[in-house]
Amino acid sequence: MQQLSKKRRIDKVLLGFVAPAFVFYVAFIVLPTVMSLYYSFTSWDGISPNIHFIGLRNYIEIFTSARFGNALKNTVILTVFISVFENAIALALALLVDRVIKGKNLFRSLFYIPVLISGIVSGFIWKVMYNYNFGVINALLENIGLGALKQDWLGNTSLTLIAIGVVLVWKGAGYYMIIYLASLQSISSDILEAAEIDGATAWHKFTKITLPLISGAFTINFTLSLINGLKVFDQINVMTDGGPGFTSETVVYLLYKVGFNEGRQGFGTAVGVVLLLVILVLNTIQQKFLRSREVQV
């Protein structure tokens, strides 16, 4: 009986610790999600008290809208670009830092610095760098005799998405590098030494031992890349405002433009709901695919 009473006291204490977090979770996650789902079935400007229920009209417009199709295409291109190049560069940097004997902490800090810069600031920095008249990129091309390659990098509709993708890769690769580096340093040196004694080349050690043993890091990083790619906003807002035309407008930026600039909060919320479902579906598929290839040590 005394043990039961003690257990109840412990349960109450634990509940007291959990309650604040649960209240915040319900207030800032659950309720907004439920309200967003409701607003997605309405015609509302976000300010007026008059909210008109219109059923599935917002969703019908989404799936028949050329603008949404274009935004979805841009989002997919950016997401694939980011996922591939961020992880490739991050893994290369992690391998480089892992093999450095002197100055390892210095290199790790240097590669991580872009992560600390806010999305807005990084957008401004690269917007200046991409400037046709005084940007450092065109100036560099001019100085090395490649002036013919000078571009209006953010004004060329064929290059705008790639130019934004480069900024996102530059900013994010250092973060994923840290995850890969932690995974690399968890590999026992005995395994690699045994493989070397058996005559394995550096390439075989990398492909047959290192890559399988850091597969968990791949799962984490590709998941984060997927989510970050689908919700890109800051750099687009600063660098192109979705332009030229709609060539760099993503799903999240479409949500922002129609919801806040055009006063169509109901439609914008419906776009957000669709984006949430897309993220959940793609993340589930990716998790299942990547986790099936993880190696348990």
Side-chain angles (χ1 to χ4, degrees):
M1 192 68 180
Q2 186 177 359
Q3 289 181 344
L4 182 60
S5 177
K6 184 177 180 180
K7 184 178 182 301
R8 286 177 177 174
R9 286 199 303 271
I10 294 175
D11 289 342
K12 289 180 180 179
V13 172
L14 293 177
L15 183 61
F17 281 109
V18 171
F22 179 76
V23 169
F24 275 96
Y25 177 75
V26 171
F28 295 103
I29 302 295
V30 177
L31 287 180
T33 301
V34 174
M35 292 173 65
S36 295
L37 186 61
Y38 167 72
Y39 289 135
S40 70
F41 294 103
T42 67
S43 174
W44 183 44
D45 61 7
I47 299 175
S48 171
N50 299 318
I51 302 175
H52 303 288
F53 185 82
I54 59 173
L56 295 173
R57 279 167 52 187
N58 285 329
Y59 291 98
I60 293 173
E61 182 179 351
I62 286 174
F63 292 109
T64 57
S65 168
R67 186 177 177 184
F68 178 82
N70 174 71
L72 183 61
K73 180 198 71 174
N74 293 338
T75 302
V76 170
I77 292 173
L78 264 181
T79 302
V80 172
F81 185 91
I82 293 169
S83 297
V84 172
F85 287 98
E86 263 186 342
N87 282 280
I89 293 174
L91 180 58
L93 293 177
L95 290 168
L96 176 63
V97 173
D98 189 49
R99 282 162 173 72
V100 169
I101 298 175
K102 293 184 178 180
K104 180 174 294 189
N105 290 333
L106 174 63
F107 283 108
R108 182 164 50 191
S109 300
L110 288 175
F111 293 145
Y112 192 77
I113 285 175
V115 181
L116 304 177
I117 302 174
S118 75
I120 297 294
V121 174
S122 64
F124 275 118
I125 292 172
W126 279 86
K127 186 176 182 178
V128 173
M129 291 173 63
Y130 280 136
N131 187 276
Y132 181 82
N133 296 313
F134 54 80
V136 66
I137 295 177
N138 282 341
L140 180 62
L141 290 174
E142 189 76 46
N143 290 334
I144 62 176
L146 297 175
L149 298 178
K150 289 174 59 177
Q151 296 282 338
D152 182 6
W153 299 97
L154 297 178
N156 187 331
T157 56
S158 300
L159 298 174
T160 306
L161 279 178
I162 296 176
I164 295 172
V166 168
V167 179
L168 295 168
V169 170
W170 169 81
K171 181 175 176 2
Y175 179 82
Y176 301 113
M177 176 203 68
I178 296 297
I179 298 175
Y180 282 128
L181 184 60
S183 188
L184 285 170
Q185 292 178 343
S186 69
I187 299 176
S188 173
S189 59
D190 295 339
I191 300 175
L192 298 174
E193 289 173 3
E196 190 172 345
I197 292 172
D198 289 339
T201 64
W203 175 250
H204 282 106
K205 286 193 292 182
F206 176 68
T207 56
K208 303 298 183 182
I209 298 175
T210 302
L211 283 182
L213 290 178
I214 64 171
S215 55
F218 277 106
T219 301
I220 295 171
N221 284 346
F222 272 96
T223 299
L224 293 174
S225 294
L226 172 69
I227 295 173
N228 290 332
L230 291 173
K231 64 183 185 69
V232 173
F233 177 83
D234 293 351
Q235 289 81 2
I236 294 175
N237 184 39
V238 171
M239 298 173 69
T240 64
D241 193 31
F246 298 102
T247 54
S248 63
E249 185 176 73
T250 59
V251 174
V252 170
Y253 207 71
L254 170 64
L255 185 160
Y256 162 74
K257 295 285 280 189
V258 299
F260 295 95
N261 287 14
E262 300 173 16
R264 303 181 62 200
Q265 195 70 245
F267 181 79
T269 306
V271 172
V273 172
V274 172
L275 178 62
L276 173 63
L277 294 176
V278 169
I279 291 175
L280 290 175
V281 171
L282 291 181
N283 186 50
T284 301
I285 295 172
Q286 180 176 266
Q287 286 278 326
K288 186 175 181 180
F289 176 79
L290 292 175
R291 287 195 180 281
S292 66
R293 284 156 175 74
E294 289 186 10
V295 175
Q296 300 295 331
V297 181

